[in-house]
Amino acid sequence: MPLSGPVRVLALTGLVRAVAFGFLLTVSVLYGTQFIGLSAQQAGLSMTVAAACGALGGIPAGRAADAFGARGTAVVLGVAQGCAGLFFVLADTFAGFVLAASLAVGCQSASEAVRGALVASLVEGEGRVRARAFLHAVANAGMSLGAVGGGVALESHSRTVLLAAFGTCGLLFALAGAGCARLPPTPAVPRPARLPASGMLKDAPFVLFTVLNVLLVMNDGLLTVVLPLWIAERTDAPLGVYSAILVLNTACVVLFQVRASRGTARLAGGVRALRRSGLLLAACCVLFLAASGRPAGWAVVLLLAGALVHAVGELVYSAGSWSMAFALAPDHAQGQYQGVFTTSIHLGGMVAPVLGTALILGVNEQVGWLVFALLFATAGLLAPVVSRLAARGSVSAPSPL
């Protein structure tokens, strides 16, 4: 862990925010159904609206980071997200719950976009991907701690305990935002240098990259939504193996994400990582499919093998996507580009559960898994096209290969 400097401040504030957000993700839906009286359909709709706010939050946050400075934007977002904790305390209706959840998730997405802009502003070029990897590992550890805290709070079966915890989360969000004030100043981009909203749509390498990113980031939705349903409904493996898979995935991210970022500081390294990730994620789909119809012991072995391949693919994907997001963005518009990059992550997260359950658990399991394998492999193999387009000068001031 860095002993000093802006990355340490970003890590500590990100850890605090991740603990609070992990708690909210664990507790909010059950709190809404058990204590506010929401139906399952209302709770599901609430989280869908919140996810949509998350998908939309990155772009305006990125533009605000460029227009007003990333550090000030991060402070404001922390205070706004802190209000979400207060709104959970006050919420006693469906509308109030939707407002609280949407504010929490929307500000979380916006903060991720601004964090990318902060890293671009405060860290020298070749250290950016390593910094993002370190921050990602810390955030995953924080989310896990928050989830454990949420589980403990739910076991209390006490509304008072949960309300106190929501208030604490709000305070943690605000403290995380206030902590960003300790970062060095990040100047705003002068108005003449800012890109119009349509500017990035004309940036062929970046547009292609975001499309590929939407496809590759669907690996997360497959792991968190589709895989547990697949294990329960289509394999003879005990459902407890899914807990082991989640522990394995989290441990790999926390322990090896920084190591996986080696060699991706420049665009060429990011392209290689993204290509490798597509092939690994395709392979994990084949292993998950192979677990169907096997005896329980073999199913467990294949599922764990698939989970390990998935974890490596996810690590390499993350490093490659950060590398390309930084390298393809002009220095004077990092906030806007990081906002679009963050939005593509959330779009992939929204599409994967719907598409995965429809194809794999609905249409045909073999066709479904193979379609996802083909999508991942194709997206990875197309990554070099982005590099070639950038080399032709299609993007303003690209980072060197």
Side-chain angles (χ1 to χ4, degrees):
M1 183 173 181
L3 298 178
S4 61
V7 176
R8 183 178 179 86
V9 176
L10 286 170
L12 293 174
T13 56
L15 176 65
V16 171
R17 188 175 68 247
V19 169
F21 193 66
F23 178 90
L24 290 185
L25 284 182
T26 305
V27 168
S28 56
V29 171
L30 290 175
Y31 176 79
T33 55
Q34 294 181 7
F35 293 99
I36 298 180
L38 303 183
S39 65
Q41 291 76 16
Q42 287 177 317
L45 178 59
S46 300
M47 301 316 293
T48 300
V49 173
C53 291
L56 297 173
I59 295 177
R63 295 189 71 84
D66 283 341
F68 305 108
R71 184 182 69 170
T73 304
V75 173
V76 172
L77 284 172
V79 175
Q81 197 169 18
C83 293
L86 177 62
F87 288 169
F88 272 113
V89 172
L90 299 176
D92 57 2
T93 64
F94 171 62
F97 185 81
V98 170
L99 176 61
S102 298
L103 186 60
V105 176
C107 287
Q108 186 72 11
S109 170
S111 296
E112 291 169 6
V114 174
R115 180 174 60 178
L118 283 167
V119 171
S121 299
L122 300 173
V123 181
E124 293 297 327
E126 295 194 1
R128 291 171 177 173
V129 177
R130 183 176 176 82
R132 281 301 300 259
F134 176 73
L135 296 175
H136 184 64
V138 170
N140 269 265
M143 291 278 286
S144 299
L145 291 173
V148 171
V152 172
L154 287 172
E155 284 298 319
S156 71
H157 301 288
S158 168
R159 182 169 189 166
T160 301
V161 170
L162 290 173
L163 290 177
F166 280 131
T168 302
C169 285
L171 179 60
L172 291 177
F173 284 134
L175 287 174
C180 291
R182 297 176 59 87
L183 293 166
T186 53
V189 176
R191 183 175 294 275
R194 293 180 213 159
L195 289 175
S198 60
M200 283 173 287
L201 297 179
K202 299 176 183 178
D203 188 340
F206 194 79
V207 169
L208 177 58
F209 162 64
T210 55
V211 172
L212 300 183
N213 194 58
V214 169
L215 296 177
L216 289 170
V217 81
M218 288 196 295
N219 78 83
D220 185 66
L222 283 184
L223 182 75
T224 57
V225 178
V226 178
L227 187 60
L229 296 173
W230 166 257
I231 293 172
E233 298 181 12
R234 305 296 173 87
T235 77
D236 292 325
L239 194 54
V241 72
Y242 182 64
S243 297
I245 288 173
L246 289 183
V247 170
L248 173 66
N249 183 269
T250 302
C252 286
V253 172
V254 172
L255 296 175
F256 302 116
Q257 185 63 77
V258 175
R259 182 183 295 271
S261 71
R262 293 176 181 173
T264 61
R266 293 174 178 263
L267 179 57
V271 168
R272 287 193 298 270
L274 224 60
R275 181 175 55 196
R276 194 177 305 126
S277 74
L279 298 176
L280 287 168
L281 293 172
C284 85
C285 291
V286 175
L287 288 169
F288 289 147
L289 171 60
S292 179
R294 308 284 180 179
W298 277 110
V300 169
V301 170
L302 288 167
L303 289 168
L304 290 174
L308 182 59
V309 173
H310 174 279
V312 177
E314 180 186 347
L315 292 173
V316 179
Y317 153 73
S318 296
S321 66
W322 296 326
S323 172
M324 296 183 72
F326 283 130
L328 295 171
D331 284 339
H332 65 272
Q334 282 285 351
Q336 297 173 62
Y337 275 69
Q338 297 306 318
V340 174
F341 170 61
T342 300
T343 295
S344 72
I345 293 174
H346 286 273
L347 286 176
M350 292 177 65
V351 171
V354 177
L355 187 62
T357 52
L359 290 179
I360 296 172
L361 300 174
V363 177
N364 182 284
E365 60 188 38
Q366 284 142 343
V367 171
W369 280 116
L370 293 178
V371 165
F372 272 97
L374 181 62
L375 288 175
F376 290 142
T378 302
L381 292 173
L382 284 176
V385 178
V386 177
S387 177
R388 288 195 289 271
L389 287 174
R392 293 174 190 166
S394 298
V395 65
S396 296
S399 296
L401 294 176

